[in-house]
Amino acid sequence: MALAEAAVESQAILTEVMTQGRPMSGAMNGQADPHGLMDTYGKLGRSLATNPSAMLNANLDLWMGWVNLWKEFATGEISAPQDKRFSDPEWSANPAFEFMRRAYELNADWMMSIMNSADDLSVADKRKAQFYTRQTVDALSPTNFFATNPAALKAMLETGGQSLVEGLRNARKDLQRGGGKLSISQSDETPFEVGKNLATSPGKVVYRNPLIELLQFEPSTKSVHARPLLIFPPWINKYYILDLREENSMIRWLTEQGITVFVVSWRSADEETKDYTWDDYVKNGVLAALHEATTQTGSDSVNAVGYCIGGTLLTSALAYMGKTGDKRINSATYFASQSDFTDAGDLMVFTDENARAQIDAIIEDNDGIMPGSVMAETFNWLRPVDLVWRYVVDNYMLGKKPRPFDLLYWNSDQTNIPGHIHQTYLNALYGRNELAEGKFKVFGETVNMGDIKIPVTIQASREDHICPWHSIYRAARKFGGDVNFVLAGSGHIAGVVNHPRAEKYQHWTNPDLPATPEAWLTGAEETKGSWWPSWLEWLEPKSGEMVPANPVPDRKLGAAPGTYVKMRLSAISAGAKPDTTYCDPFEAPKPAPAKKPAAARKPAASRKSTAASKPAAASRPKTAAASKKTTSKTAAPARKKTAASNSKPKSTKPAAKKASPAKKASSGAKAAPAKKKAPASKSKAGKSGQGKSGRSTSNPSA
């Protein structure tokens, strides 16, 4: 009966694929080989042909490996598997499965060793060849095939075939979820709801424009530091990775330390925002949020945080502010954020010329939007063993239901991206590395990271596969001020979001900034546990004096987490819109006259992290009753000045299809009276330091 049910489910799956499957057409850009693999492997073959001794040595190693394998089997020697994919006892206890595992490991090592033999292959070609060879090796693992997976066979026998039926049903549901394309479920999403059991830190939306909602969170102490913290998360994902649950929320932890926290919540791209450019994100994202945070608190400046691509945006904005004399950001902290893309890891496989042409076609097919579903698939294939094949085995071969997991729920809650800004990121930054080389333009002005003179903390994670820490370190030496570099254990997410109460991982600190990341790590000290307390020691002296805490003002825009973060891709596809009660349009301030070239910087290796000096007062930008959105990438910010306001919200109707957000009608509501400016805060005296408690004396090697 179970086999009959399996046959029915199999037929239903075929029907789903045939009737709902979507052609690749534009996504393949009309090419039989859109990734350029034939060219890459052709170069690999030519390289190996010119170095026959290397190929001979690799084949000799393979032959000796097989000889030793047969010898060990003849003598009954058993080796325990190191790969977690082979954790089932049968892979060691059953001779047939053990031989299968050992043969796979031997052949896999041989295939990867061939890549290392191609000495004259360019770095980019070798990276691509290694990446796609590893993809092939991982796909061919015997665990990925029903007939050669002992756990799947055992489950079928123990359940009378029901596990097979359930696995086919899971596959069918994922096909339906992906509209004919397999969309693998990594987590049971039904228990989670943003604002109910995720993103629950109390606060309010204090500002909204068509691009961002600015959230301010309620203080949890009687007094707070006068200078607030303004966080710019990546727009590729949603901000609540910093506020998943109470026990691991960075936002809650910061408010417990007396920090006033503002967070930008980016809007997922739709018909209204699909034409936004990098300049629009600087103006309506960074500068608008900065203006509101200083206006709300009365502080002359803020401390800023940029996470991943949010940090790249912040760097470009700070370089522009440094060039124009805008001092409203007192210090900056970067979480896993790249500004130098010379060696940006495996993601560069997806950002070469062939890949960018394919992405251009995808954006064109989707009316100027980079779909979040495509981005999710890309990131999953960066770690296929953990994020793809694991769920193929569990969901489809073993017939298991995905378990609820808040982190994986967040990971699947993707956002759409405006095509223009995504192409700028890939072409100007990944492709030409303009930001690190001083060639990137903001509002038509060429900017340089050396103009960022404020103190910065740069955090990287040692096992980060998205933003490799060596790449992040390269950019650290390009800033013009004091740099505090911190290396955390784990990866892109867990390395950043590591609550001190969890007592997990470790971090390394070194006050110097030598020429190479290896030299930095050799001289670094290891501290057990989270890096947050060390960061707080650096941040507190830059956060101003303690002042009485006040509740977050009600701007009639709703409670945190707001409406932008709740928009799912499925709802956007169906035409749903978030709340469109916008505040008065923001006008960027008139740039200050360009400064004369500064004196030569001291060598980066001699720079050490120090406490920030008292910030100089800076004029605040004014809001306007109405303004038009800048559509040109090189357009200078608006220069019209009007009376300052507290950005009283105005209700507007959703824009018509394909209408530019710049043409949205203003309600003409009068701006609220400006808040009375609070006294300027003073920075605490004393050096910023790193925590000493719990440090290990070990000096890990690179």
Side-chain angles (χ1 to χ4, degrees):
M1 289 178 63
L3 290 176
E5 286 187 69
V8 171
E9 289 295 332
S10 297
Q11 184 61 42
I13 287 175
L14 288 175
T15 302
E16 296 278 354
V17 173
M18 296 297 292
T19 58
Q20 296 187 31
R22 294 165 294 178
M24 297 299 289
S25 61
M28 299 298 289
N29 199 30
Q31 300 179 32
D33 182 25
H35 298 287
L37 295 184
M38 293 177 64
D39 180 59
T40 298
Y41 279 111
K43 292 177 181 177
L44 174 63
R46 289 191 292 272
S47 175
L48 294 175
T50 59
N51 189 7
S53 60
M55 193 66 187
L56 177 62
N57 291 334
N59 286 333
L60 284 174
D61 289 341
L62 177 64
W63 182 76
M64 288 300 300
W66 275 99
V67 170
N68 291 332
L69 177 59
W70 285 111
K71 177 183 176 182
E72 291 170 5
F73 258 77
T75 58
E77 295 182 33
I78 298 175
S79 64
Q82 303 297 318
D83 193 325
K84 61 185 178 183
R85 290 176 291 181
F86 302 102
S87 58
D88 190 282
E90 288 292 311
W91 289 110
S92 295
N94 187 308
F97 285 114
E98 184 191 5
F99 183 83
M100 199 181 303
R101 169 180 64 84
R102 298 279 301 279
Y104 166 75
E105 292 171 340
L106 185 62
N107 290 333
D109 289 343
W110 170 75
M111 286 186 70
M112 295 308 300
S113 70
I114 291 176
M115 304 298 107
N116 298 327
S117 301
D119 294 330
D120 58 343
L121 211 60
S122 70
V123 173
D125 286 329
K126 180 174 284 190
R127 179 188 294 112
K128 181 183 284 189
Q130 288 175 329
F131 179 82
Y132 283 107
T133 302
R134 172 54 65 188
Q135 294 284 328
T136 302
V137 167
D138 290 338
L140 293 176
S141 170
T143 56
N144 297 337
F145 300 91
F146 190 89
T148 56
N149 188 316
L153 295 173
K154 187 190 306 180
M156 182 182 69
L157 294 174
E158 291 176 349
T159 63
Q162 196 60 36
S163 63
L164 179 60
V165 175
E166 293 300 325
L168 289 169
R169 286 174 178 167
N170 290 341
R172 185 181 176 190
K173 289 178 182 177
D174 285 349
L175 279 169
Q176 292 172 337
R177 194 165 73 105
K181 182 179 179 182
L182 191 64
S183 178
I184 300 174
S185 297
Q186 298 174 333
S187 171
D188 178 8
E189 299 181 357
T190 55
F192 301 113
E193 183 178 350
V194 175
K196 295 293 184 182
N197 51 12
L198 299 173
T200 59
S201 290
K204 294 184 179 69
V205 180
V206 294
Y207 176 78
R208 180 187 296 125
N209 66 25
L211 179 62
I212 68 168
E213 286 181 330
L214 183 64
L215 313 177
Q216 182 180 355
F217 294 93
E218 297 287 354
S220 55
T221 54
K222 292 184 179 180
S223 59
V224 296
H225 289 278
R227 183 173 292 116
L229 186 72
L230 175 57
I231 302 176
F232 298 97
W235 54 81
I236 292 174
N237 298 103
K238 295 182 178 178
Y239 88 86
Y240 65 90
I241 186 60
L242 302 175
D243 191 31
L244 275 180
R245 291 170 286 118
E246 290 188 25
E247 57 266 32
N248 66 358
S249 170
M250 176 183 280
I251 291 172
R252 285 182 183 269
W253 182 81
L254 286 167
T255 59
E256 290 168 0
Q257 314 310 312
I259 303 292
T260 298
V261 179
F262 290 85
V263 174
V264 165
S265 177
W266 302 100
R267 179 174 178 166
S268 185
D270 55 19
E271 191 66 27
E272 187 167 0
T273 61
K274 66 184 181 67
D275 294 323
Y276 274 34
T277 66
W278 194 275
D279 281 355
D280 293 321
Y281 270 60
V282 172
K283 175 187 173 184
N284 299 314
V286 175
L287 297 182
L290 174 60
H291 167 67
E292 293 302 323
T294 52
T295 300
Q296 299 284 358
T297 61
S299 176
D300 288 330
S301 60
V302 305
N303 294 314
V305 171
Y307 192 167
C308 191
I309 192 172
T312 310
L313 179 75
L314 177 62
T315 297
S316 68
L318 281 171
Y320 176 79
M321 294 170 71
K323 185 173 185 177
T324 58
D326 189 339
K327 300 180 180 179
R328 289 174 299 149
I329 294 182
N330 179 62
S331 75
T333 300
Y334 294 93
F335 299 163
S337 178
Q338 295 182 104
S339 297
D340 188 319
F341 295 84
T342 303
D343 186 17
D346 284 343
L347 263 179
M348 297 188 76
V349 172
F350 297 101
T351 58
D352 66 5
E353 186 176 351
N354 287 309
R356 294 201 301 270
Q358 184 185 9
I359 290 170
D360 288 344
I362 292 172
I363 291 172
E364 184 178 353
D365 280 357
N366 288 274
D367 197 24
I369 290 175
M370 182 65 185
S373 57
V374 176
M375 293 297 299
E377 191 173 354
T378 299
F379 286 116
N380 285 342
W381 284 106
L382 287 176
R383 296 178 60 190
V385 172
D386 294 327
L387 297 177
V388 178
W389 298 116
R390 170 187 173 184
Y391 297 101
V392 169
V393 173
D394 287 353
N395 298 2
Y396 308 148
M397 296 186 191
L398 301 179
K400 295 180 179 180
K401 300 288 185 184
R403 294 179 298 174
F405 189 10
D406 55 357
L407 180 59
L408 288 177
Y409 175 89
W410 168 84
N411 187 58
S412 67
D413 190 8
Q414 295 289 326
T415 60
N416 293 328
I417 306 169
H420 289 303
I421 194 170
H422 197 62
Q423 288 164 326
T424 298
Y425 189 53
L426 297 182
N427 295 326
L429 300 178
Y430 266 99
R432 299 189 294 271
N433 202 26
E434 290 181 0
L435 186 57
E437 295 181 6
K439 299 177 182 178
F440 193 73
K441 289 186 177 182
V442 177
F443 302 134
E445 296 283 342
T446 303
V447 298
N448 193 306
M449 292 175 61
D451 289 331
I452 303 174
K453 306 295 185 182
I454 60 174
V456 299
T457 279
I458 299 176
Q459 179 273 340
S461 299
R462 195 168 183 179
E463 298 168 27
D464 194 335
H465 65 289
I466 295 175
C467 299
W469 83 271
H470 288 74
S471 176
I472 294 175
Y473 187 86
R474 288 178 64 96
R477 293 173 48 83
K478 296 183 182 296
F479 286 86
D482 295 323
V483 175
N484 173 42
F485 190 84
V486 179
L487 181 64
S490 197
H492 191 70
I493 301 301
V496 175
V497 184
N498 181 20
H499 199 290
R501 286 197 295 266
E503 299 181 349
K504 294 173 63 177
Y505 313 126
Q506 71 281 92
H507 64 280
W508 293 267
T509 54
N510 183 347
D512 294 321
L513 209 64
T516 66
E518 292 79 10
W520 182 92
L521 189 57
T522 299
E525 292 185 78
E526 181 181 351
T527 303
K528 299 299 181 183
S530 172
W531 64 278
W532 295 4
S534 294
W535 173 45
L536 186 66
E537 288 187 27
W538 178 89
L539 182 66
E540 278 189 320
K542 301 166 180 61
S543 298
E545 62 189 359
M546 302 302 291
V547 297
N550 295 312
V552 177
D554 186 1
R555 304 297 179 195
K556 307 301 181 184
L557 296 170
T563 63
Y564 288 179
V565 74
K566 295 180 180 180
M567 296 298 296
R568 303 278 291 185
L569 292 183
S570 57
I572 295 172
S573 298
K577 297 284 185 182
D579 193 335
T580 54
T581 304
Y582 301 142
C583 297
D584 291 333
F586 169 75
E587 283 198 19
K590 180 179 179 180
K595 293 182 177 181
K596 294 181 179 179
R601 295 169 53 201
K602 59 183 178 181
S606 66
R607 297 201 304 270
K608 296 189 178 183
S609 174
T610 59
S613 60
K614 182 177 178 181
S619 61
R620 298 178 187 158
K622 314 297 184 180
T623 59
S627 67
K628 290 187 177 181
K629 172 181 163 299
T630 302
T631 56
S632 170
K633 292 183 180 180
T634 59
R639 300 185 177 185
K640 181 180 178 181
K641 292 186 178 182
T642 61
S645 74
N646 283 329
S647 298
K648 181 178 179 181
K650 58 177 71 175
S651 178
T652 63
K653 296 180 180 179
K657 185 174 180 61
K658 295 187 182 295
S660 169
K663 297 178 181 179
K664 178 177 290 293
S666 170
S667 67
K670 293 182 179 180
K675 286 182 68 176
K676 183 177 290 186
K677 182 176 176 182
S681 58
K682 297 181 180 179
S683 298
K684 287 183 179 181
K687 290 185 177 181
S688 64
Q690 303 297 336
K692 297 288 185 183
S693 61
R695 276 189 175 171
S696 168
T697 57
S698 63
N699 289 322
S701 66

